[in-house]
């Protein structure tokens, strides 16, 4: 059993001042696999002070110096890809086929940031005016539990590229993953105080980062409720904020879609990361004229989405992260039935043979109306709502009828039509015909999905302020 009692502050692992201890439970079988000492306000203030001292020098570093650091971070993280993948599978229950991609994306974020760094317009001049992009200062990076390595690496890469120093507050549910990652990144030999990590609760460590006047910027990934608290409490010290707050993403299946390709693609988007993904396409909009064919195609395709041991490369859906998350998903499945939706596949309870862990049955509802709870609220589990529409215009209206606007998808064979529909969706990213990614494309949402963008030059820009000098 792994015991973690230290945080990473000012270039070294130091004993936690906070004494509260959290059990780390393996979600595949509910067994205790570790304990972590949670940081408190004092630990957080020490980390902020270290970052503030480091910023006095690092904030004046050159593009070339920061590019070298990003390359070192990439090299250091690359050496531990297998370890990072294995611990994500064990501690979080992420299926290995997806965990490997998540970890690799996190590691690659350093090279993607270096590329964007070299392309940024750091200085612009006209007449007797010069505008430079300046690092905002100490940044608090608050990350979620569903893709730990990706979130930390992505935010760290953008902040470092901008010239900021950071204090990371990872999810306490990701303590083992964080320890492996920090050990890896320590090998990059960053200047002391540039990179600090304090594991603790959001209402303790996160709250101190938000209210502390020496922290200029908060970059947060998590729930709407916490994002609203960060905006409200951060206003007292004029915090700059980037908030990625989840989604209820629509996938529009057009009437010319080839179902043998479209349905597996739609299900992949719906059950991404066992459904514990902010980008998951959990509303599938289908033409009424093809509803019966779609239902049969879903039944057939679901056979390929096996539930089980996340370490098995053949498994597509693993457990939920915790008992609490398992119960949350179960409550939404019950709510769907109560509100009149029909269970096509799945339903309440554990899949047969997986009663010990936090596994749920991948569930597909049909006869769903877009005003139902399961169609409006983010469930964060493998639950898909199929919603029928009469016309293309109605499909677009339903897709946009959500308080969220993070991600969307459109599937069809007529690409000009697909692109026309995609251009009318109020979402930060829209994918066409399958899940895809571009590490230079902006990531973030409209409406309640958040404020600001990450990735590439957009992510670096979130940690910068323009300064004009006029003669």
């Amino acid at each position: 059993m792994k015991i973690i009692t230290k945080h990473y502050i000012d270039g070294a692992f130091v004993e936690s001042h906070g004494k509260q201890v959290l059990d780390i439970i393996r979600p595949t079988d509910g067994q205790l696999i570790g304990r972590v000492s949670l940081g408190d306000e004092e630990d957080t203030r020490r980390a902020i002070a270290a970052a503030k001292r480091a910023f006095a020098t690092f904030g004046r570093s050159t593009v070339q110096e920061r590019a070298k650091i990003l390359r070192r971070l990439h090299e250091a993280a690359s050496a531990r890809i297998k370890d990072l993948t294995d611990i994500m599978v064990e501690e979080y229950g992420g299926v290995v086929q997806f965990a490997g991609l998540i970890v690799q994306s996190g590691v690659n974020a350093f090279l993607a940031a270096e590329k964007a760094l070299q392309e940024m317009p750091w200085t612009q001049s006209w007449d007797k005016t010069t505008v430079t992009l300046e690092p905002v200062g100490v940044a608090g990076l608050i990350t979620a539990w569903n893709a730990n390595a990706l979130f930390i690496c992505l935010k760290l890469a953008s902040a470092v590229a901008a010239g900021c120093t950071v204090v990371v507050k990872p999810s306490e549910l990701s303590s083992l993953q964080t320890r492996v990652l920090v050990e890896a990144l320590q090998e990059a030999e960053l200047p002391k105080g540039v990179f600090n990590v304090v594991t603790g609760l959001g209402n303790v460590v996160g709250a101190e980062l938000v209210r502390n006047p020496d922290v200029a910027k908060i970059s947060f990934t998590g729930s709407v409720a916490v994002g609203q608290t960060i905006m409200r409490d951060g206003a007292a010290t004029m915090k700059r904020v980037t908030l990625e707050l989840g989604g209820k993403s629509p996938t529009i299946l057009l009437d010319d879609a080839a179902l043998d390709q479209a349905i597996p693609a739609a299900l992949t988007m719906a059950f991404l990361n066992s459904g514990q993904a902010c980008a998951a396409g959990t509303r599938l909009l289908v033409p009424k004229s093809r509803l019966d064919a779609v239902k049969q195609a879903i039944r057939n395709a679901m056979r390929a989405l096996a539930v089980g041991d996340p370490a098995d490369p053949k498994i597509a859906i693993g457990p939920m992260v915790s008992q609490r998350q398992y119960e949350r998903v179960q409550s939404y499945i019950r709510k769907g039935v109560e509100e009149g939706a029909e269970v096509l596949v799945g339903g309440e309870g554990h899949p047969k043979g997986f009663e010990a862990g936090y596994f749920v049955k991948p569930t597909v509802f049909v006869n769903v109306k877009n005003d139902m709870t399961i169609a409006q609220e983010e469930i964060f589990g493998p639950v898909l709502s199929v919603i029928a529409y009469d016309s293309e215009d109605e499909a677009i209206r339903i897709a946009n009828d959500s308080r969220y606007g993070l991600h969307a998808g459109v599937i069809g064979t007529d690409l000009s039509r697909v692109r026309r529909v995609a251009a009318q969706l109020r979402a930060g990213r829209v994918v066409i015909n399958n899940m895809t990614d571009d590490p230079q494309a902006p990531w973030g949402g409209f409406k309640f999905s958040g404020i600001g963008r990450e990735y590439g030059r957009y992510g670096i820009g979130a940690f910068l302020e323009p300064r004009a000098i006029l003669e």
Side-chain angles (χ1 to χ4, degrees):
M1 186 170 70
K2 184 74 172 179
I3 305 296
I4 299 174
T5 62
K6 295 181 178 181
H7 307 294
Y8 190 73
I9 299 173
D10 210 17
F13 287 101
V14 298
E15 286 292 334
S16 179
H17 179 270
K19 302 306 179 189
Q20 183 178 351
V21 175
L22 179 74
D23 289 344
I24 302 170
I25 306 298
R26 184 167 51 215
T28 53
D29 57 12
Q31 295 300 303
L32 179 70
I33 59 172
R35 289 195 172 97
V36 59
S37 296
L38 300 177
D40 61 10
E41 292 87 352
E42 178 61 26
D43 293 305
T44 312
R45 286 192 285 267
R46 288 176 183 175
I48 293 169
K52 183 180 179 180
R53 289 192 299 271
F55 181 71
T57 301
F58 191 69
R60 299 196 303 270
S61 59
T62 66
V63 168
Q64 291 71 30
E65 288 168 339
R66 299 199 296 275
K68 288 180 181 178
I69 286 175
L70 288 166
R71 288 194 292 271
R72 294 207 306 269
L73 285 165
H74 175 261
E75 183 179 352
S78 294
R80 300 291 297 274
I81 284 177
K82 185 180 186 304
D83 294 338
L84 289 165
T85 302
D86 290 347
I87 195 63
M88 182 176 177
V89 171
E90 181 176 22
E91 182 182 38
Y92 165 63
V95 293
V96 68
Q97 58 174 264
F98 185 76
L101 294 174
I102 281 291
V103 169
Q104 188 66 62
S105 294
V107 171
N108 289 344
F110 296 116
L111 290 185
E114 187 211 349
K115 180 178 186 295
L117 172 70
Q118 305 285 8
E119 298 171 353
M120 294 281 290
W122 291 97
T123 302
Q124 291 182 298
S125 298
W126 60 89
D127 299 329
K128 293 184 178 182
T129 298
T130 300
V131 177
T132 57
L133 298 177
E134 303 295 328
V136 69
V138 175
L141 313 181
I142 305 175
T143 62
W145 44 258
N146 61 316
N148 186 68
L150 171 61
F151 293 141
I152 293 177
C153 291
L154 175 62
K155 294 178 189 294
L156 175 63
S158 295
V160 165
C164 292
T165 58
V166 309
V167 178
V168 182
K169 194 227 74 84
S171 170
E172 64 279 8
L173 298 179
S174 305
S175 298
L176 300 184
Q177 297 168 75
T178 298
R179 183 56 180 260
V180 174
L181 181 59
V182 174
E183 288 174 350
L185 297 181
Q186 187 183 32
E187 296 302 310
E189 298 182 339
L190 272 65
K192 289 183 178 180
V194 169
F195 172 53
N196 307 274
V197 182
V198 179
T199 297
L201 300 178
N203 60 6
V204 179
V205 176
E208 178 63 30
L209 288 171
V210 171
R211 66 175 169 254
N212 194 296
D214 288 334
V215 177
K217 165 82 181 185
I218 296 290
S219 179
F220 169 76
T221 298
S223 71
V224 169
V226 175
Q228 290 170 324
T229 298
I230 288 171
M231 284 192 74
R232 181 177 61 248
D233 294 350
T237 51
M238 284 296 168
K239 288 287 189 292
R240 276 62 178 152
V241 296
T242 296
L243 306 173
E244 196 270 270
L245 307 179
K248 192 66 184 177
S249 303
T251 301
I252 297 178
L253 190 148
L254 297 175
D255 56 17
D256 66 347
L259 296 187
D260 59 335
Q261 299 173 21
I263 294 304
L267 294 179
T268 296
M269 287 190 267
F271 298 131
L272 196 69
N273 201 9
S274 304
Q276 297 176 126
C278 49
T282 52
R283 289 184 297 151
L284 178 58
L285 280 52
V286 305
K288 284 181 182 175
S289 60
R290 304 195 69 186
L291 182 57
D292 289 340
V294 166
K295 288 161 67 173
Q296 188 56 52
I298 289 173
R299 290 191 191 97
N300 295 338
M302 285 294 290
R303 298 188 186 109
L305 296 176
V307 179
D309 180 0
D312 184 343
K314 297 178 183 177
I315 295 299
I317 299 175
M320 301 296 92
V321 70
S322 64
Q323 178 68 24
R324 178 181 178 183
Q325 188 63 20
Y326 169 83
E327 291 171 355
R328 172 185 168 88
V329 176
Q330 294 299 309
S331 71
Y332 275 107
I333 293 173
R334 287 193 296 273
K335 189 71 170 177
V337 173
E338 290 168 5
E339 293 187 352
E342 174 190 341
V343 175
L344 181 71
V345 179
E348 271 194 84
H350 292 87
K352 187 175 180 181
F354 295 98
E355 290 79 11
Y358 308 137
F359 295 89
V360 304
K361 297 175 185 176
T363 298
V364 179
F365 281 104
V366 293
N367 295 338
V368 178
K369 305 300 181 186
N370 200 54
D371 60 357
M372 289 181 177
T373 303
I374 57 171
Q376 287 295 318
E377 296 186 12
E378 186 176 39
I379 298 171
F380 231 61
V383 180
L384 172 63
S385 294
V386 178
I387 303 169
Y389 67 85
D390 284 312
S391 66
E392 181 182 299
D393 287 344
E394 185 185 20
I396 294 167
R397 181 188 61 75
I398 293 171
N400 289 333
D401 182 18
S402 169
R403 72 173 184 163
Y404 294 105
L406 180 66
H407 202 272
V410 185
I411 300 176
T413 55
D414 181 346
L415 278 180
S416 62
R417 182 186 179 199
V418 171
R419 291 173 185 140
R420 184 181 72 243
V421 172
Q424 297 178 72
L425 300 183
R426 300 283 291 172
R429 273 196 187 186
V430 184
V431 296
I432 288 176
N433 285 335
N434 218 326
M435 195 67 182
T436 189
D437 187 31
D438 180 343
Q440 299 299 329
W443 174 262
F446 289 40
K447 300 181 280 189
F448 276 70
S449 285
I451 291 175
R453 295 293 184 268
E454 298 184 274
Y455 283 85
R457 66 174 62 189
Y458 305 91
I460 297 171
F463 292 91
L464 296 167
E465 293 278 20
R467 180 178 63 199
I469 297 179
L470 295 78
E471 296 181 19

